Amino acid sequence: MGAALGVLIGLSTATVGGGLFSGLQFSGAFLAAWVVAWLVIGFGVLPYLTVVPAGWLIREVQQLSTAEFVTAVGGLLIGLLMGLLLGLPLSNIPGALGEWLPLGVSLFLGLGMVGLTVAKRADLGAAAEAVGLFRRPSPDEAPVLAGEPHIVVDTSAIIDGRIAEIVESGFIYGTLVVPRFVLDELQHIADSSDTLRRNRGRRGLEILSRMQKDSRTPVELAEERYPEIE
């Protein structure tokens, strides 16, 4: 898209005023070089105007807590509504000021309310709780969810590798339990004289180590016996 847009810009600017390179020797070569230059510029610049800011925004949103995200969205809606109400009389101002001032006021109020509501989210939550909009559960009422349920993982699930992908995607809730005999079996396979089995065992150990270090799902080693999977 950036390359196509660059070509369009290059062709449109080259035809301004009867032709940018009209009357020049080798005008066709200059025109081709001009269009290629704009193609390269469009190809290189457009990602920094679209993909890179979008990626930054996604990373920032992922780091927000649920409370911060909800208050940010609420603040944005309130700010845009205020900008709309103020923009109606401002649009009656004659000239360019009446065209651009409502937009500027809406952006200013929208972004300003996002920052304000996120910064004051604790006070807003306390106020909402005071008027009865919601009620925080007491410590006695809070369910004990830490580490529940426990999911026992066998050797083939670890070696297969798909369990790590599912864990990384966040679709597993609870704690993964790796029995000691599963770890011993993985180590035995990794020490096998057969190259294929040895590689599979080492891959399983690497996957298990990565899940223990980087996974959002807790991974525990257990000494309990699970006859159904032994």
Side-chain angles (χ1 to χ4, degrees):
M1 290 179 62
L5 184 61
V7 170
L8 292 177
I9 294 175
L11 291 175
S12 61
T13 54
T15 57
V16 173
L20 185 63
F21 303 105
S22 60
L24 296 178
Q25 189 177 8
F26 307 114
S27 58
F30 282 111
L31 176 61
W34 177 260
V35 172
V36 170
W38 273 103
L39 184 149
V40 174
I41 292 174
F43 183 82
V45 171
L46 189 63
Y48 292 96
L49 301 178
T50 55
V51 178
V52 173
W56 173 84
L57 181 61
I58 291 174
R59 289 191 298 270
E60 292 297 321
V61 171
Q62 289 176 340
Q63 293 177 0
L64 292 177
S65 65
T66 303
E68 291 172 337
F69 180 75
V70 171
T71 53
V73 172
L76 178 61
L77 294 177
I78 294 173
L80 292 178
L81 179 60
M82 295 171 58
L84 177 62
L85 296 177
L86 291 176
L88 293 177
L90 292 176
S91 61
N92 295 325
I93 299 177
L97 192 62
E99 297 179 0
W100 295 102
L101 191 57
L103 178 60
V105 170
S106 297
L107 290 176
F108 175 77
L109 290 176
L111 296 177
M113 289 301 297
V114 167
L116 181 62
T117 51
V118 171
K120 304 294 289 184
R121 63 187 180 278
D123 297 335
L124 292 174
E129 184 179 3
V131 299
L133 293 180
F134 72 94
R135 182 174 65 88
R136 300 178 188 271
S138 63
D140 297 334
E141 298 174 345
V144 180
L145 299 176
E148 297 293 343
H150 286 71
I151 303 170
V152 182
V153 183
D154 65 357
T155 308
S156 60
I158 298 176
I159 294 178
D160 181 77
R162 281 179 290 184
I163 184 66
E165 298 176 359
I166 297 175
V167 167
E168 292 172 358
S169 66
F171 283 101
I172 290 183
Y173 170 74
T175 300
L176 293 180
V177 178
V178 180
R180 172 62 62 180
F181 69 86
V182 170
L183 182 60
D184 293 341
E185 185 177 0
L186 281 174
Q187 188 63 55
H188 177 71
I189 296 174
D191 295 336
S192 173
S193 58
D194 183 82
T195 303
L196 181 59
R197 284 176 53 84
R198 183 168 62 250
N199 291 337
R200 285 169 54 85
R202 291 179 179 177
R203 179 172 179 266
L205 292 174
E206 292 174 359
I207 291 174
L208 178 59
S209 177
R210 188 174 75 246
M211 288 195 301
Q212 287 180 299
K213 294 179 181 178
D214 304 329
S215 173
R216 291 175 293 179
T217 302
V219 179
E220 294 182 358
L221 297 178
E223 302 293 339
E224 288 83 356
R225 311 291 293 184
Y226 296 88
E228 64 273 13
I229 65 173
E230 287 190 56

